[in-house]
Amino acid sequence: MNTLKGPFRLIMKEMNLTFYINIGVTLALMALFTFLSYFNVANETLGITFGPIYAIFLAYPFILFKGYKYILSLGGTRKQFMLVTFLSAAIYIVLSAIILNGLYFLSPLLFNEGELFHMADLVNGSQPLLYFWVDVLWMFILFGFAMMIQAIYFNLGGARTLIGAAALLMMVLVAVFFADLTPLIEFIFTDHLLFVHILAGISLIFMSLSYLIMRNAPLERGDRKIIRLQPAAD
């Protein structure tokens, strides 16, 4: 595999099935909400349609790593695996945002009463492009965070990852019980767009770190003894 064509086709094949399943679930939810809208006399929010698609971007890093061995066994490199993974995710994020927002803006024509909740409803703005952008950001955030977790899990194995996760959980619990989180909660709701961009920035850092870690990744999960960010042989 001297180009990205082979790895790209393999990763896209891994993503296709779960993507189409989640699109089917989303369309089924839309049909259900359309039906319920005729019984929603209180004109309340009927629900959300972004849940299944957001969830799949949290799961994609764990699904796509099945292609890691195949790409390397066919002569591909770790860098190719990471690059095509990011490229494929970017394509599906844009496609998903188009579908989600198409259904969202179509809903007033389909529903008798009620409406859908969109994450951009937390932002002060009604531009269609803003709604599209907020969906892109959230899917990017979920994918980046999951990619970092999967890169650590693949390199260090289950035991060391769980130890690190337990330590992190304890720090979070200490912060929740002893720190005043009111300013943070107020910031999340009053400056929600800035909050989402900050999370997207952290996600970008995580994706960069996962690339640096995976370009030196072992062949088998959990074989890494130390983290090295210096490049190794592909």
Side-chain angles (χ1 to χ4, degrees), residues 70-170:
Y70 294 119
I71 290 175
L72 264 61
S73 64
L74 293 173
T77 67
R78 295 166 176 82
K79 292 178 182 177
Q80 286 177 337
F81 167 73
M82 292 302 290
L83 289 174
V84 297
T85 297
F86 291 156
L87 178 61
S88 303
I91 292 172
Y92 278 108
I93 284 174
V94 173
L95 287 176
S96 299
I98 292 172
I99 293 170
L100 282 176
N101 284 277
L103 293 175
Y104 180 78
F105 288 106
L106 190 63
S107 62
L109 302 176
L110 298 176
F111 293 173
N112 184 49
E113 296 288 349
E115 58 185 10
L116 292 176
F117 174 76
H118 192 290
M119 288 302 291
D121 291 339
L122 298 174
V123 178
N124 294 324
S126 58
Q127 292 293 326
L129 188 59
L130 178 63
Y131 277 65
F132 173 85
W133 180 239
V134 168
D135 269 336
V136 167
L137 288 177
W138 273 113
M139 286 184 275
F140 179 81
I141 291 165
L142 294 171
F143 183 81
F145 276 63
M147 197 72 195
M148 188 66 203
I149 294 170
Q150 173 63 353
I152 293 172
Y153 174 66
F154 185 86
N155 279 265
L156 302 183
R160 285 183 286 177
T161 302
L162 287 175
I163 291 172
L168 181 61
L169 179 62
M170 289 178 66

Side-chain angles (χ1 to χ4, degrees), residues 1-2 4 68-83 211-219 224 228-234:
M1 293 187 180
N2 295 323
L4 295 179
Y68 177 77
K69 280 188 176 180
Y70 294 119
I71 290 175
L72 264 61
S73 64
L74 293 173
T77 67
R78 295 166 176 82
K79 292 178 182 177
Q80 286 177 337
F81 167 73
M82 292 302 290
L83 289 174
Y211 172 81
L212 294 174
I213 293 171
M214 285 305 300
R215 70 176 182 173
N216 302 309
L219 292 177
R224 175 66 64 83
R228 289 188 305 119
L229 299 184
Q230 296 299 319
D234 294 328

